[in-house]
Amino acid sequence: MKNVNILSVYTLLVGLIIILFPFISSVTKIDFLGGLGTEGSFFPAVLLTSIWLTVSILKKEKIIIPKNKSFLFLCIFLFYLILSGMIHLEDLFSLQYQGIVGYERYFQQMGSMLFYFLTALCVYNVFLKYEVNYRYLFQWSMYFSFVVAGGYSLIEVSAFLGSPAAQDLLVRIDGMFRVNSGGFYRLRSVAAEASFLGMYLGVVFPWILSGVFQYSAKGRMLCYFAFLYMLLMEFMTASRTGYVILLVEMLVWGYLFRSEIKKRKYIFFCSILLTILFIIGGGSLLKDWVMFSSVDIVGVLTSLIKDDTFYEVSNIARYGSQIAALQMFLDNPVVGVGFGLFGFHAADYYPSWAWISIEIINWGTNGIGASWPPAHGLYARIIGQ
């Protein structure tokens, strides 16, 4: 009975981690937690890990260590991050940028990595010891997370279309968890930015659309209509990141499920026709949205490779940041500039042509209140640091 109760707690908390996933960098910031404290999933993850560690210690349960190459690589990576701090110990105490000292940034980033590591180990042990049906748990938690994100987006869509009641309600609810509410222009749901919502939709997309082949007729229809609503949400983010991710995923999904599509050709083509009609109908519905006339999906996608577009300055900032990270790596190929220290060195590595971007100027300004320099690429940031 005790095992059943603790399993229920573990299952609930793992589910909440996934359900609160759409709250990406949008929760009111707690300073000492850094960026990690702005993630909705962080809080149930902390509770889960704390309970698991406490139970394991009190009951003297053996912690199962994965014996595979992935876990070995992760341990080596963590060791290298610790070694990076030791090598750049002098820099950690001497570097200051935008009112932040190097060691503050390093320990925040290192604490985040250790927390991720511990949470992953916790979930691995819970699933293995209690034989949790993790696929079922993940899938239904993803569905509920979409209900949260999609339900909130309904209020946003109404606000975009000019409903005073929806606008007032949106501001009130935003004030409960956001740092600032922003305007009624691009759909972002419960995430901090529209591009973050676009990335979330990219994660939930395969779970929803794959349900078309898993359930009964009612379940398939529900998943399909959820997919159509997800397309509407993606469109209203006006996010290049979201558009590219969804396009690539749809192509990959079509290839992976090609045999299932062949078996259900009639249903597939009817779905395509219904999707086209939905897009046409959605276009007429959104004509009063202030961003509607400015969203050009083809133009947004081609803007990634063209220079003479509305997004040119943003492209320059992104490419300039990644080139800066690459140049850091070339100058320091073995030990980097130090884990978490990209922002302290970025201004010295931005290419000269990138300084025409207002974003680069903002990131390169060493003043309190300026935006912290991002690398705009996980791999670029890792090799640079």
Side-chain angles (χ1 to χ4, degrees), residues 1-137:
M1 186 66 181
K2 291 182 179 179
N3 286 343
V4 173
N5 290 337
I6 196 65
L7 174 59
S8 300
V9 173
Y10 288 154
T11 303
L12 174 63
L13 291 174
V14 172
L16 282 174
I17 291 173
I18 300 171
I19 292 170
L20 296 179
F21 171 47
F23 290 83
I24 304 174
S25 302
S26 58
V27 180
T28 301
K29 188 174 182 180
I30 301 174
D31 290 336
F32 75 91
L33 293 175
L36 196 61
T38 64
E39 307 293 333
S41 296
F42 170 73
F43 301 98
V46 168
L47 191 55
L48 171 68
T49 308
S50 301
I51 293 174
W52 171 69
L53 281 175
T54 303
V55 171
S56 298
I57 292 172
L58 293 178
K59 298 179 68 174
K60 298 181 180 179
E61 292 182 346
K62 181 181 178 182
I63 295 177
I64 304 172
I65 304 298
K67 296 180 180 179
N68 52 52
K69 293 180 180 179
S70 299
F71 185 77
L72 176 62
F73 175 80
L74 180 58
C75 290
I76 293 173
F77 181 66
L78 283 175
F79 174 76
Y80 191 76
L81 297 184
I82 295 172
L83 185 63
S84 171
M86 296 172 65
I87 293 173
H88 296 280
L89 188 61
E90 184 178 348
D91 290 340
L92 296 183
F93 288 90
S94 62
L95 290 174
Q96 291 192 35
Y97 193 72
Q98 295 182 1
I100 299 175
V101 184
Y103 67 81
E104 295 177 341
R105 191 73 182 177
Y106 172 78
F107 285 119
Q108 274 191 351
Q109 298 289 303
M110 197 66 222
S112 297
M113 288 302 302
L114 291 173
F115 175 73
Y116 294 142
F117 174 82
L118 193 59
T119 302
L121 188 61
C122 166
V123 173
Y124 176 82
N125 274 262
V126 168
F127 284 176
L128 203 61
K129 287 181 180 178
Y130 296 94
E131 299 181 353
V132 177
N133 187 343
Y134 59 88
R135 186 182 181 281
Y136 178 86
L137 176 60

Side-chain angles (χ1 to χ4, degrees), residues 231-382:
L231 287 182
L232 175 66
M233 291 173 63
E234 190 72 79
F235 174 75
M236 295 190 72
T237 64
S239 166
R240 291 184 294 168
T241 303
Y243 291 171
V244 171
I245 290 175
L246 191 63
L247 176 62
V248 172
E249 282 196 321
M250 289 180 71
L251 294 174
V252 173
W253 183 89
Y255 175 76
L256 293 177
F257 285 86
R258 60 191 183 279
S259 59
E260 286 81 0
I261 291 173
K262 288 180 181 179
K263 294 176 183 177
R264 301 174 175 86
K265 290 182 181 179
Y266 177 75
I267 296 176
F268 178 73
F269 286 114
C270 286
S271 300
I272 293 293
L273 178 61
L274 185 57
T275 302
I276 293 172
L277 294 175
F278 175 79
I279 292 173
I280 295 173
S284 61
L285 175 67
L286 297 177
K287 61 183 180 181
D288 294 328
W289 177 36
V290 68
M291 290 285 292
F292 180 72
S293 60
S294 64
V295 177
D296 176 8
I297 294 179
V298 176
V300 166
L301 295 176
T302 57
S303 72
L304 295 170
I305 56 176
K306 288 184 177 180
D307 293 332
D308 56 339
T309 69
F310 171 78
Y311 298 96
E312 180 180 1
V313 175
S314 179
N315 287 345
I316 290 173
R318 293 167 186 254
Y319 297 150
S321 297
Q322 295 190 25
I323 288 176
L326 179 60
Q327 192 59 51
M328 285 183 198
F329 168 72
L330 294 176
D331 285 355
N332 307 274
V334 179
V335 296
V337 297
F339 180 59
L341 303 186
F342 170 85
F344 294 90
H345 298 276
D348 298 328
Y349 285 93
Y350 288 136
S352 56
W353 48 262
W355 286 95
I356 66 171
S357 168
I358 188 65
E359 291 178 295
I360 291 290
I361 294 174
N362 185 21
W363 300 334
T365 300
N366 187 6
I368 298 175
S371 299
W372 189 261
H376 275 297
L378 175 62
Y379 301 111
R381 178 184 169 189
I382 289 175

